[in-house]
Amino acid sequence: MNNLPNNTKTTPSSDMIKQISDALNDNSTVAIVMTLTLGGCFVYKTYIDAKHNRETKLSYTPNIGFEYVQTDKRYVANYKDGKWDEGTLTEDANIVMNECAGVLQYAQTVFEGMKAYTTEDGRIVTFRPDLNAARMVDSAKRLEMPVFPEDRFVDAIVQTVQANAAYVPPYGSGASLYIRPYMFGINPVIGVKPADEYQFRVFTTPVGPYFKGGAKPITICVSDFDRAAPHGT
């Protein structure tokens, strides 16, 4: 796991000032350089132009892999006594549960995945999260889990992306902010039955291409092994 360091301020060199001035097309006085790195990889620098009160981003280096990088906030909502609570954003990336939690004993969990991108005009967008919301409803019903309302699902995505907007890679980088909504049974369950309490969460992590350098063939093994009985589980 890699944590994202806070933005750091450094004094720009003369070469850097020239590079920035050329980018700004004038002789602006650059006062501050803020460097944002993801998991130790240089991502981009924001140059603050104190003279004209503006900033520009330059020099993106796409060295991000498809790995987890902890961001600032994540969304959490809890289901108990037959209803969902209001949900909230939290800085705590850890989950505390009983050793007999339903998700650990009987894998009662569902998840979705989508991405947020920076557009050419600087906006941050996602691709049809409403359809992800609908699919999670179908998945939850199939596993005897309470449905997380579709409108709340989309709102949770928006809140989480907005709270982590600084982690969305810039346009043209080939990278994006991966969004992982998921839900699981959290109360102790030892009998084979659905859990009574659940947690819905959304976290984000900046990622590069899943197949860096393009998709490549993989080797798989097909087995006739049955754990319990022929064609059993």
Side-chain angles (χ1 to χ4, degrees):
M1 181 185 74
N2 295 311
N3 292 315
L4 181 72
N6 293 327
N7 289 355
T8 57
K9 299 177 181 179
T10 61
T11 302
S13 66
S14 57
D15 289 341
M16 188 179 294
I17 290 176
K18 183 178 185 305
Q19 177 189 8
I20 300 164
S21 296
D22 290 344
L24 295 173
N25 297 317
D26 60 24
N27 293 318
S28 304
T29 301
V30 180
I32 302 172
V33 178
M34 300 177 70
T35 304
L36 180 61
T37 59
L38 300 177
C41 301
F42 171 66
V43 178
Y44 60 77
K45 292 187 177 181
T46 300
Y47 301 98
I48 309 300
D49 171 14
K51 182 178 179 181
H52 295 89
N53 191 29
R54 65 187 179 188
E55 65 181 47
T56 186
K57 290 180 180 178
L58 302 172
S59 304
Y60 183 85
T61 304
N63 288 331
I64 303 178
F66 203 93
E67 299 176 355
Y68 173 70
V69 176
Q70 183 174 313
T71 53
D72 292 340
K73 297 288 184 68
R74 65 275 311 135
Y75 181 91
V76 181
N78 292 287
Y79 181 88
K80 188 175 182 179
D81 299 327
K83 61 182 179 181
W84 289 101
D85 65 14
E86 294 181 356
T88 186
L89 290 172
T90 177
E91 295 181 354
D92 190 355
N94 297 310
I95 300 172
V96 178
M97 67 178 73
N98 188 275
E99 62 187 352
C100 197
V103 63
L104 300 179
Q105 301 306 315
Y106 299 110
Q108 195 180 19
T109 181
V110 296
F111 69 90
E112 281 294 323
M114 66 195 80
K115 294 179 179 179
Y117 308 85
T118 301
T119 62
E120 190 172 6
D121 60 3
R123 295 178 300 121
I124 296 174
V125 299
T126 60
F127 183 64
R128 60 184 194 185
D130 56 322
L131 297 187
N132 291 90
R135 187 165 62 181
M136 179 168 268
V137 167
D138 291 340
S139 298
K141 289 179 178 179
R142 186 173 179 83
L143 289 187
E144 299 293 330
M145 302 171 73
V147 168
F148 193 74
E150 294 181 39
D151 59 333
R152 291 194 58 187
F153 178 101
V154 175
D155 180 63
I157 298 300
V158 172
Q159 286 191 50
T160 310
V161 172
Q162 288 179 336
N164 297 293
Y167 295 80
V168 184
Y171 173 77
S173 64
S176 59
L177 186 72
Y178 188 79
I179 309 165
R180 170 50 59 86
Y182 59 112
M183 180 169 61
F184 53 90
I186 197 168
N187 68 291
V189 178
I190 194 62
V192 183
K193 64 177 182 178
D196 298 314
E197 299 175 10
Y198 297 84
Q199 192 167 98
F200 171 83
R201 299 177 70 100
V202 182
F203 72 82
T204 60
T205 182
V207 296
Y210 192 87
F211 294 104
K212 198 168 185 177
K216 298 178 181 179
I218 59 174
T219 300
I220 63 173
C221 176
V222 178
S223 173
D224 294 328
F225 173 76
D226 294 307
R227 184 185 68 86
H231 307 295
T233 59

